[in-house]
Amino acid sequence: MLKLLILIIFPLNLLIANDYILQRQDSMQKFNKLMRSANQMIKNSEINEDLSQIYTDIENIMTEYPTLFPDDSFKGKTKASEDIIANRDKFNEISLETAEIARLASLASLNNDIELLQQSHQNLFSTCKSCHSRFKN
Ligand code: HEC
């Protein structure tokens, strides 16, 4: 009976871990696409509520992001560095900072504050490298 349970639970664990991996990769692909859309809109001077909503979507993605890295989700098809486990504070801090920058960009779009918008949009792009260089293999 115990053996049977282990046989069932072990693959289930792997499946759940794999689900986190797929979710966080999906989040990143969305983040990437949203940034491209924002780029395009800024280029076309479409500073409006839709642009603001794009940054709100990014804010929401990055607020949830740190919850997608449980300790047992670093095996298999993931590029996430195990450094995340040992440095959760730093990882959470970068995620939170990114969410805050996105919130600023969202407000800037609503207020038609072009200078703040461009600054925060640039800062959002800088977060990719600062997080990847440290926490992505
Ligand atoms: C807080 C940390 C963090 C930030 C900020 C961040 N990333 Fe990532 N990114 C990761 C990690 C960790 C992975 C690896 C996830 C995995 O494979 O499990 C990743 C993976 C990716 C992937 C590959 C997804 C896939 O399908 O495997 C893309 C694309 C990506 N990031 C784009 C971006 C872009 C563009 C930005 C900035 C605009 C960004 N990321 C900002 C941590 C971050």
Side-chain angles (χ1 to χ4, degrees):
M1 185 60 190
L2 188 64
K3 257 190 189 161
L4 190 69
L5 263 181
I6 290 171
L7 272 178
I8 294 171
I9 287 171
F10 185 63
L12 211 69
N13 258 337
L14 282 181
L15 265 181
I16 292 167
N18 192 50
D19 202 48
Y20 279 112
I21 295 172
L22 291 178
Q23 259 192 73
R24 66 202 188 206
Q25 291 175 343
D26 187 54
S27 294
M28 278 293 133
Q29 280 165 27
K30 283 194 183 128
F31 188 4
N32 196 14
K33 273 195 197 140
L34 289 165
M35 286 299 284
R36 278 195 216 173
S37 307
N39 253 349
Q40 202 55 48
M41 290 183 75
I42 292 173
K43 228 190 234 167
N44 299 339
S45 299
E46 296 171 57
I47 317 300
N48 54 31
E49 277 181 26
D50 291 346
L51 182 60
S52 172
Q53 185 59 48
I54 286 179
Y55 292 119
T56 302
D57 292 347
I58 293 173
E59 182 192 351
N60 291 336
I61 287 172
M62 289 317 292
T63 305
E64 183 202 29
Y65 200 58
T67 66
L68 304 177
F69 294 82
D71 285 1
D72 61 357
S73 69
F74 291 83
K75 301 270 177 283
K77 283 195 175 161
T78 173
K79 293 221 165 100
S81 162
E82 290 197 50
D83 273 2
I84 291 173
I85 299 175
N87 298 287
R88 289 218 178 258
D89 286 353
K90 186 68 197 165
F91 184 70
N92 295 349
E93 190 188 307
I94 299 179
S95 305
L96 190 73
E97 260 175 35
T98 308
E100 275 167 7
I101 297 169
R103 199 154 73 102
L104 214 58
S106 175
L107 283 175
S109 325
L110 276 188
N111 296 335
N112 217 356
D113 184 339
I114 310 292
E115 203 172 311
L116 181 62
L117 173 62
Q118 279 174 340
Q119 186 60 56
S120 43
H121 187 78
Q122 259 344 95
N123 287 348
L124 266 183
F125 264 123
S126 314
T127 66
C128 322
K129 195 157 172 259
S130 42
C131 194
H132 289 176
S133 63
R134 193 143 177 208
F135 293 116
K136 182 168 166 275
N137 293 325

